[in-house]
Amino acid sequence: MATLTVPTSTRARAPRVLKSRAAGKLLLLALVAAVLAPWAATQWPGAAWPHDLTVSLDKPLASASNWVIDNRDSHPLFLYFFGYISNAVVLSVRAVYLTLLAAGWTGVTVFGALVAWRVAGARLAAGTAIAFLACGALGMWVPTMQTLALMVVAVLASVVVGALLGLAAGLSDRLDRALRPVLDTMQVLPAFAYLLPVVLVFGIGVPAAVLATVVYAAPPMARLTALGLRGADPEVLEAVESLGSTRRQRLLTARIPLARGELLLGLNQTIMMALSMATIASIIGAAGLGDRVYQALASVDVGAALAAGIPIVLLAVVLDRVTGAAGDGTTRPKTIGWAYALAVTVAVALAARLLGRLDWPSGWNLNIAEPVDRAVDWMTSHLYSGVPVVGGTADWAGHFTTWVLDPVRGGLQWLPWWSVLLIVAALAWSIGTWRTALTAVLAMAAIGVLGVWGPALDTLSQVLAAVAVTLVLGFATGIAAARSDRVERALRPVLDVFQTMPQFVYLIPVVALFGVGRAPAVAAAVVYALPAVVRITAQGLRQVDPAALEAARSLGATGRQQLWQVQLPLARRSLLLAVNQGVVLVLAVVIIGGLVGGGALGYSTVFGLAQGDLATGLVAGAAIVCLGLMLDRVTQPTERRTKKGA
Amino acid sequence: MTKHPKSTKLSRRTALIAAGAATVSLLTGCGAADMTKQASPFANAQGAKSVTLSVQSWVGAQSNVAVAQYILEHKLGYRVDTVQVDEVPAWDALSQGRVDAILEDWGHPDQEKRYVEDKKTIARAGDLGVTGHIGWFVPTYLAKQHPDITDWKNLNKYASLFRTAESGGKGQLMDGSPSYVTNDKALVQNLKLNYQVVFAGSEAAQITQMKQFAKQQKPFLTYWYSPQWLFKKVPMTEVKLPPYKDGCDADAAKVACAYPHTPLQKYLNAGFAKSGGKAAAFLKKFKWTTEDQNDVSLMIADEKLSPQDAAKKWVDSHPDVWKRWLT
């Protein structure tokens, strides 16, 4: 295996004679292929990954899992290290939860509104208050508080960990170089892949959920902290230095305040990721709203799932807007100070307590479950089949499976394994450096070594199909949004909802529309990945240099010509980023696909979680991670770093 | 944090201060932290005595928990937290005291040996009173059309009826959630059936698909189990597999027989079983019939009552049953 990639890595420089660097790289690869392919094909015939080159991890993983279970209550590692972490998490979540309950629904709502008012103005304050009241009205007050308690602890821990890592990376070049690839990699990992390892050590429950959330949500904070510290204006720093300040003074008085925007953006990103993870972590006993969504699935009750999903969306939108407003550096409105805000909260909470109204009044409930269920039933029964002319969604799903998914899967599994590696290498190298190509090839090879080559290609075929559909829909919608302000305004709430709604909620509707199988898995992935693609496309098109557009218009270009010949080419980078994000997001919900019949790696991961079967679950999770790495590297253009002093 | 604070009348402020102090003492580190003695942070909130019940993903399990929760809350004055966990992880959580009880277990011999017999962290709590059975089912409308379809020997003859886009030219045998006990892949292979097992991946997906098929009166063959509320909505007939004999499913790869009839069991965390007071005594006595469970399940899944309303309805109409549990 290693022999395959060595030549590509030693010959980093393409021959000079060739005009285009990419062509040179491909020629080199073709040479390598011509030498190695016949040898590989005779040595290990057949298309699938050769069995001699796999390493079975079943035994070591099973014994590791047994060791943990046997030593959990006696080994010092658990008693004096993991035990403390676990206890600290339980106690802090509990403290926050009790505080929230003590404040009662009035106190929490007032406090939230006051904080939003203080940092983001009156409109958002009203929005925050309405969001909290809606959570109560949906009968979800206690689960909302549980999720909030978990979130507060997880976000604080993520911010502390992320800020410390970011500080280290921002101040030391060596650490930055060491951390960057790690953080980059963590960005593309699907959230579900984290669940099994934490469950193994911490068991089912809140500690595991919080830790998984921290691991998932800390990297963006670290990246943005480092970015902010490195991006500080050198002239300002020089001025501060010339005043004779020490390093520490420089950091505290100049660099950190200058990085305020990035720090707050990091906080915003961390909060959003923590919220999505807190929902997913309901699979491992995180309680709260995600758990309610998950429980509603058992009775196949879309309405009840939605009732628990809406508070999550509301929390996400409110937190996003408030932290976003805090970060965009606008001058804040003159409102009451923090001390007053606290005082008012305490007063309101005490008043509610004296009136005996701490719990959400049971009479004030909206029951949305029934109308939602009726609507979903009506829709699915009318669209499922027998729509005149076009046929029903079930027929489409069948055709999509037979005409698109099957050929793609068949094609990928028909390709000899070494040719798949070569294709990956060619794709990654033509848009990146030999390093990214090597990473991609090694990731793909690791899948083979783990012994899940077949299922991984099955998953890959679903991912490719889903990405293709996402890009077609996403580019079309993005272009529409970029060309009309009205469309964009109308789309924004829809995209928000799609992006933050826990994916469990639309499991039932996709099955009801498309039947069990790979088609609904693709549909669920498309719904999840679409918003990001639309946003990035629209933003990229809007940022095209107005001068270029003006010039095109003055030459008499029609609207269509402007779009095809000016805007799209100039927005190429954004479009590529959209592709990359689409791939990463589609892969993130492969496991959700496993819950609706997608099979392959997604199902294996769910199986591992459900049966506590580490060998199956971890291997499948690792393979998903490798797929993610590979796909990220073949869709993300990387420039060759300029060599210092070369 | 011990599981049952001695003074339940702690005011919230003292509890907070205590929690803070405990955190500090934790961070400074004194003594060992026992991970096996951890309750959920949401338990015992606001000074209530609390019990944490694990809920499995199917509605029958929800019904047990709903009724137990209703009685614990309204007749015994506990506060109940529920956590949704799959079966095998629930055993693990139970042994660590993160949940106090599993009310419906379909038989996990490895787990029983490990936690009940070797480690003694989990205690048996007797029969639930319901007998569970897994099998292959076809909708009754199909069995009426083709009466001989209910014998496995004739399944190959009808394979083409069950073809879907996913089953690749063979008949589709639909399985459900990965957490359920299933030998279907081995059965298909060992009985030489021209079928492909397609995993729906979750019970929600499986039920949704079955309802869609039933709406259109389409043929389908599926792994299913009783007691289950869906039989009332979609009547189904079992396909006879080679009869079950003790030990015929011992080797997972060689299985070629039907699934057994399992008397479903309850399990409690060992510590809770000893010192859980009235709650533990009640859960040990909790026992009802398949019909009772199905009543509650139908209210939850079909009439869309919330589990608590369904439990209230059942409890109000069956006083003689639950009063026995509390004596």
Side-chain angles (χ1 to χ4, degrees):
Chain A
M1 182 54 252
T3 48
L4 257 185
T5 49
V6 167
T8 57
S9 58
T10 49
R11 302 277 313 272
R13 304 188 66 120
R16 282 276 163 84
V17 280
L18 287 157
K19 275 214 185 75
S20 139
R21 176 171 275 153
K25 291 171 176 175
L26 291 180
L27 195 71
L28 197 67
L29 267 180
L31 278 175
V32 173
V35 174
L36 289 179
W39 171 73
T42 49
Q43 188 82 0
W44 298 289
W49 186 271
H51 190 72
D52 317 345
L53 298 183
T54 57
V55 177
S56 167
L57 293 177
D58 292 6
K59 277 213 171 65
L61 282 175
S63 62
S65 138
N66 285 335
W67 184 87
V68 168
I69 290 173
D70 290 337
N71 290 284
R72 222 167 19 198
D73 43 6
S74 56
H75 197 276
L77 176 68
F78 287 93
L79 291 183
Y80 295 101
F81 180 64
F82 290 137
Y84 280 140
I85 293 179
S86 177
N87 281 348
V89 169
V90 169
L91 282 173
S92 36
V93 172
R94 191 179 171 76
V96 176
Y97 178 58
L98 290 179
T99 314
L100 289 171
L101 285 183
W105 65 272
T106 45
V108 172
T109 309
V110 168
F111 184 69
L114 287 174
V115 170
W117 190 26
R118 166 99 197 156
V119 300
R123 270 188 60 193
L124 270 174
T128 308
I130 290 169
F132 273 123
L133 294 176
C135 295
L138 289 166
M140 289 287 158
W141 187 258
V142 169
T144 305
M145 289 306 106
Q146 291 182 340
T147 296
L148 210 55
L150 204 143
M151 282 274 303
V152 167
V153 173
V155 168
L156 280 177
S158 306
V159 166
V160 169
V161 170
L164 286 176
L165 284 176
L167 260 178
L171 298 178
S172 136
D173 286 339
R174 186 179 304 166
L175 265 173
D176 187 42
R177 272 199 303 276
L179 274 176
R180 183 169 298 204
V182 177
L183 294 177
D184 281 348
T185 307
M186 283 173 95
Q187 289 272 306
V188 300
L189 297 191
F192 284 94
Y194 292 123
L195 298 181
L196 256 175
V198 272
V199 168
L200 172 67
V201 174
F202 291 93
I204 293 278
V206 172
V210 169
L211 287 162
T213 309
V214 171
V215 172
Y216 185 64
M221 186 76 203
R223 284 164 70 111
L224 283 155
T225 308
L227 190 76
L229 288 178
R230 293 187 168 272
D233 187 353
E235 284 173 16
V236 177
L237 289 181
E238 202 164 316
V240 177
E241 202 169 348
S242 66
L243 292 172
S245 58
T246 60
R247 272 195 67 156
R248 184 143 113 223
Q249 284 173 326
R250 265 210 306 280
L251 179 67
L252 292 175
T253 58
R255 291 183 78 173
I256 290 184
L258 282 174
R260 181 171 172 271
E262 277 87 359
L263 289 175
L264 281 164
L265 182 62
L267 176 67
N268 171 302
Q269 293 281 307
T270 297
I271 287 178
M272 297 323 274
M273 289 182 78
L275 190 57
S276 70
M277 190 69 185
T279 314
I280 289 170
S282 63
I283 294 193
I284 56 171
L289 289 168
D291 197 52
R292 293 299 175 99
V293 176
Y294 200 47
Q295 286 192 23
L297 280 183
S299 48
V300 199
D301 190 343
V302 188
L306 198 67
I310 290 174
I312 295 177
V313 173
L314 291 173
L315 275 181
V317 172
V318 162
L319 287 167
D320 180 43
R321 298 282 190 278
V322 171
T323 47
D328 64 10
T330 44
T331 45
R332 274 182 267 155
K334 271 285 185 216
T335 56
I336 49 173
W338 291 116
Y340 281 110
L342 261 177
V344 171
T345 308
V346 171
V348 170
L350 282 175
R353 157 151 305 206
L354 293 174
L355 293 171
R357 283 290 175 83
L358 271 183
D359 291 331
W360 182 265
S362 53
W364 300 4
N365 278 353
L366 277 174
N367 191 353
I368 64 156
E370 254 176 87
V372 170
D373 281 339
R374 270 205 305 277
V376 171
D377 263 348
W378 184 90
M379 185 183 77
T380 51
S381 59
H382 283 77
L383 295 179
Y384 185 69
S385 70
V387 180
V389 189
V390 286
T393 48
D395 312 334
W396 294 356
H399 294 322
F400 186 74
T401 306
T402 322
W403 295 341
V404 179
L405 287 168
D406 282 345
V408 175
R409 179 172 70 178
L412 282 173
Q413 290 178 338
W414 168 86
L415 280 174
W417 58 274
W418 42 266
S419 69
V420 173
L421 292 179
L422 275 172
I423 293 168
V424 167
L427 287 172
W429 205 15
S430 59
I431 63 162
T433 60
W434 63 269
R435 278 209 183 99
T436 53
L438 186 64
T439 312
V441 171
L442 286 178
M444 200 67 210
I447 292 173
V449 172
L450 288 170
V452 284
W453 186 256
L457 290 184
D458 187 354
T459 294
L460 182 60
S461 71
Q462 293 173 45
V463 169
L464 293 177
V467 168
V469 176
T470 307
L471 291 181
V472 170
L473 293 175
F475 284 165
T477 322
I479 289 168
R483 294 174 73 98
S484 142
D485 284 328
R486 194 178 301 160
V487 173
E488 181 154 63
R489 267 201 307 276
L491 270 179
R492 191 173 172 181
V494 177
L495 295 183
D496 276 338
V497 169
F498 274 176
Q499 213 161 3
T500 50
M501 181 63 75
Q503 299 104 26
F504 296 125
V505 173
Y506 40 78
L507 286 191
I508 295 163
V510 292
V511 173
L513 286 174
F514 304 111
V516 160
R518 282 164 296 156
V522 168
V526 170
V527 171
Y528 181 68
L530 201 55
V533 173
V534 172
R535 280 210 173 101
I536 297 170
T537 310
Q539 203 179 6
L541 289 177
R542 279 176 181 270
Q543 280 170 349
V544 166
D545 188 3
L549 268 179
E550 190 59 43
R553 233 179 318 228
S554 66
L555 291 171
T558 60
R560 180 170 304 192
Q561 283 170 324
Q562 284 172 35
L563 176 69
W564 283 106
Q565 298 180 356
V566 182
Q567 282 183 298
L568 286 175
L570 283 176
R572 189 170 152 265
R573 285 195 71 91
S574 299
L575 297 185
L576 278 170
L577 179 66
V579 174
N580 177 268
Q581 282 299 299
V583 168
V584 169
L585 290 173
V586 163
L587 201 72
V589 288
V590 157
I591 303 204
I592 295 287
L595 294 170
V596 292
L601 294 178
Y603 177 82
S604 302
T605 317
V606 180
F607 179 89
L609 276 169
Q611 295 278 0
D613 179 350
L614 268 187
T616 310
L618 266 187
V619 165
I624 293 178
V625 169
C626 290
L627 267 185
L629 265 180
M630 185 276 288
L631 285 168
D632 181 62
R633 294 300 182 269
V634 299
T635 52
Q636 195 184 37
T638 22
E639 304 301 326
R640 176 188 294 247
R641 293 231 182 85
T642 45
K643 286 204 176 70
K644 287 199 186 80
Chain B
M1 292 301 283
T2 50
K3 275 204 55 150
H4 300 282
K6 289 198 178 55
S7 148
T8 50
K9 288 217 172 80
L10 274 179
S11 83
R12 213 155 294 125
R13 256 193 57 210
T14 17
L16 275 184
I17 292 169
T23 318
V24 172
S25 72
L26 262 180
L27 296 176
T28 50
C30 50
D34 190 349
M35 280 177 69
T36 59
K37 301 265 185 300
Q38 283 186 336
S40 149
F42 306 122
N44 299 325
Q46 299 184 307
K49 294 178 297 175
S50 101
V51 177
T52 309
L53 301 175
S54 73
V55 191
Q56 277 71 50
S57 58
W58 59 95
V59 180
Q62 280 192 345
S63 307
N64 305 327
V65 169
V67 171
Q69 178 178 0
Y70 185 84
I71 287 179
L72 282 166
E73 283 182 344
H74 297 268
K75 312 286 177 197
L76 296 172
Y78 283 80
R79 186 178 180 123
V80 177
D81 287 297
T82 58
V83 183
Q84 167 128 4
V85 202
D86 282 323
E87 291 169 271
V88 177
W91 276 84
D92 199 33
L94 186 65
S95 77
Q96 298 191 44
R98 287 156 200 254
V99 297
D100 295 322
I102 295 178
L103 294 179
E104 179 174 317
D105 184 81
W106 285 64
H108 290 88
D110 316 356
Q111 310 291 332
E112 282 165 46
K113 186 175 175 327
R114 171 179 269 165
Y115 294 116
V116 179
E117 283 151 33
D118 299 353
K119 291 181 175 290
K120 304 207 173 11
T121 47
I122 292 180
R124 293 178 198 278
D127 284 354
L128 173 69
V130 178
T131 298
H133 175 59
I134 299 169
W136 290 1
F137 291 87
V138 290
T140 305
Y141 53 79
L142 184 72
K144 282 193 179 120
Q145 274 177 339
H146 307 284
D148 62 340
I149 207 168
T150 56
D151 187 342
W152 68 272
K153 294 187 184 95
N154 303 321
L155 280 179
N156 275 344
K157 196 166 77 182
Y158 291 107
S160 60
L161 280 183
F162 300 112
R163 219 181 286 157
T164 66
E166 281 298 329
S167 60
K170 298 176 172 175
Q172 171 173 299
L173 165 61
M174 187 164 56
D175 257 56
S177 159
S179 62
Y180 297 174
V181 178
T182 172
N183 310 324
D184 285 5
K185 271 189 160 168
L187 277 170
V188 165
Q189 200 177 347
N190 297 334
L191 299 175
K192 301 198 173 46
L193 296 172
N194 184 21
Y195 280 77
Q196 172 79 31
V197 184
V198 173
F199 285 92
S202 57
E203 184 174 291
Q206 196 184 3
I207 291 179
T208 308
Q209 177 76 82
M210 282 152 81
K211 279 179 158 174
Q212 287 287 37
F213 280 146
K215 252 185 211 157
Q216 305 183 288
Q217 301 280 303
K218 275 195 173 161
F220 64 88
L221 172 68
T222 181
Y223 163 105
W224 205 232
Y225 61 96
S226 64
Q228 228 292 351
W229 57 274
L230 192 71
F231 285 112
K232 288 258 189 348
K233 300 278 292 171
V234 181
M236 286 184 268
T237 311
E238 187 168 0
V239 175
K240 281 190 218 54
L241 289 168
Y244 175 83
K245 293 189 205 64
D246 249 347
C248 74
D249 53 0
D251 183 350
K254 296 207 177 85
V255 181
C257 59
Y259 292 88
H261 288 261
T262 322
L264 304 178
Q265 297 299 304
K266 294 173 295 174
Y267 291 93
L268 301 180
N269 170 278
F272 173 79
K274 272 207 282 291
S275 56
K278 279 183 177 165
F282 153 66
L283 289 176
K284 283 175 195 162
K285 284 211 177 100
F286 181 90
K287 188 170 182 178
W288 59 350
T289 62
T290 305
E291 289 73 43
D292 287 331
Q293 196 199 53
N294 261 337
D295 281 352
V296 183
S297 300
L298 268 171
M299 287 189 242
I300 294 174
D302 189 29
E303 296 166 37
K304 300 288 186 213
L305 288 182
S306 78
Q308 280 310 284
D309 294 345
K312 182 178 186 316
K313 245 175 130 169
W314 184 89
V315 166
D316 290 345
S317 55
H318 297 73
D320 50 325
V321 181
W322 62 261
K323 285 210 167 105
R324 275 206 307 274
W325 301 338
L326 297 182
T327 48

